[in-house]
Amino acid sequence: MNLDSEARRAHASPLFAGLPGDIGVSFEFFPPKTEKMEETLWESIVTLAPLTPRFVSVTYGAGGTTRERTHNTVARIVRETGIPAAAHLTCVDATRDEIAEIADAYWQAGVRHIVALRGDPPGGAARFEPHTQGYANAVELVAGLRQQHPFELSVSAYPETHPDAASPAADLDNLKRKLDAGASRAITQFFFEPDTFFRFQDACLAAGIDAEIVPGIMPVTNFAAIQRMSGMTGTAVPDWLGHLFEGLDEKPAARQLVAATVAAEFCRRLYAGGVRNFHFYTLNRAELSYAICHLLGLRPETTT
């Protein structure tokens, strides 16, 4: 190792302490299955609410398996907090009429933002097969929702290319069509190298995509789980990440500290590259996301 170059790199790294907190954040949750999980979720929402998120989103299980729980969670956020709430909605195993019914129910509950997704194949199926009376893809879903109500619509983006895409260029074309159909932003799949996002930004601009692209941030607390999820999504897991979590399987407190450190540095590098909006996959726990936001200079709003 060249100690001189390492010393220069360390001293050249900007400190977190000087950041002005000029970021926007959003947080993703999943609908709770049990009373205890619901309690944990609401503790997380209460913890993160003072950071004034742009919105919080609630996921939707394959084939609508969490339809009622997703609706109840989003409706409660709208009813009991001042946070804008976004509901995920997919094309999987649903007719257009069923999706229209769900969207109407969200609108009546005060939800004005939907994260529109094609969705993953249900039950471990190898390929997505659209319902014969449903939407074939997220492009059609966005267009249908746009005609139904003036929802704010977000869609997904894949910095390392969607596993079902024929090519990176085809994936970018699909993203452009979703945005052209009426979506206002894209939220990315999680990734672990800042340059992955910057290369994707450049590719989007080259493809004529100028909409907001928000990086999706997944703080790592369980490395084995991240490996499984990454295998399904085609996300590259760098060797250095595995090395950092090596030997911590039975040390959850130490794992949490390492996770916060890694995620904060990751976001700091994105920030240095011009990123000002972040979307956190919270897994219904607030601590890591709150710590990262704090290190990025974001503080709770106070009233005088």
Side-chain angles (χ1 to χ4, degrees):
M1 177 187 294
N2 186 321
L3 295 180
D4 287 340
S5 63
E6 176 62 18
R8 283 196 300 272
R9 190 183 68 82
H11 286 293
S13 297
L15 298 175
F16 289 105
L19 292 178
D22 57 337
I23 63 170
V25 296
S26 52
F27 303 108
E28 183 170 302
F29 302 101
F30 60 83
K33 296 179 181 178
T34 66
E35 189 174 320
K36 178 63 176 174
M37 290 173 70
E38 183 166 5
E39 184 179 320
T40 299
L41 168 62
W42 283 95
E43 287 173 356
S44 296
I45 290 173
V46 168
T47 297
L48 295 169
L51 298 179
T52 319
R54 302 167 75 200
F55 62 90
V56 298
S57 67
V58 182
T59 62
Y60 189 80
T65 51
T66 65
R67 172 177 171 176
E68 185 175 345
R69 288 187 284 117
T70 297
H71 182 277
N72 291 343
T73 301
V74 176
R76 185 179 173 188
I77 293 170
V78 170
R79 190 171 60 247
E80 298 184 16
T81 78
I83 308 171
H88 287 218
L89 188 55
T90 76
C91 306
V92 180
D93 281 352
T95 67
R96 294 184 178 218
D97 287 344
E98 288 170 337
I99 288 174
E101 179 185 330
I102 295 166
D104 276 334
Y106 282 138
W107 189 264
Q108 295 304 319
V111 177
R112 297 294 181 264
H113 185 175
I114 286 181
V115 180
L117 309 164
R118 187 203 70 177
D120 296 323
R127 293 188 60 80
F128 171 82
E129 294 292 341
H131 193 287
T132 54
Q133 299 175 52
Y135 293 112
N137 50 49
V139 176
E140 291 186 2
L141 176 60
V142 167
L145 291 170
R146 174 61 64 211
Q147 290 180 348
Q148 190 171 354
H149 293 292
F151 285 113
E152 178 181 0
L153 297 170
S154 296
V155 294
S156 59
Y158 295 83
E160 295 168 274
T161 307
H162 192 285
D164 291 349
S167 67
D171 201 28
L172 281 172
D173 180 65
N174 186 58
L175 173 58
K176 189 174 190 305
R177 288 188 294 119
K178 289 189 288 187
L179 293 163
D180 289 345
S184 57
R185 77 174 54 80
I187 301 168
T188 76
Q189 177 61 270
F190 63 86
F191 56 97
F192 296 111
E193 297 279 13
D195 283 348
T196 300
F197 181 75
F198 296 133
R199 284 194 298 269
F200 183 65
Q201 271 190 323
D202 290 343
C204 285
L205 289 172
I209 297 169
D210 58 3
E212 179 186 20
I213 309 292
V214 183
I217 309 299
M218 176 74 81
V220 177
T221 54
N222 184 324
F223 185 70
I226 285 296
Q227 284 182 303
R228 288 194 299 272
M229 293 170 65
S230 297
M232 293 185 289
T233 59
T235 301
V237 181
D239 291 340
W240 60 259
L241 189 62
H243 178 68
L244 282 174
F245 286 92
E246 189 177 340
L248 296 181
D249 290 352
E250 306 303 321
K251 298 183 182 296
R255 209 164 60 231
Q256 189 93 337
L257 291 170
V258 171
T261 302
V262 172
E265 182 175 342
F266 176 55
C267 289
R268 181 64 181 89
R269 294 189 182 194
L270 290 171
Y271 181 92
V275 174
R276 292 297 180 269
N277 292 314
F278 299 83
H279 183 76
F280 292 95
Y281 298 109
T282 69
L283 302 181
N284 289 16
R285 296 189 176 277
E287 299 89 348
L288 280 175
S289 298
Y290 192 97
I292 298 163
C293 292
H294 183 88
L295 286 165
L296 293 174
L298 191 60
R299 300 291 185 270
E301 284 200 356
T302 57
T303 56
T304 57

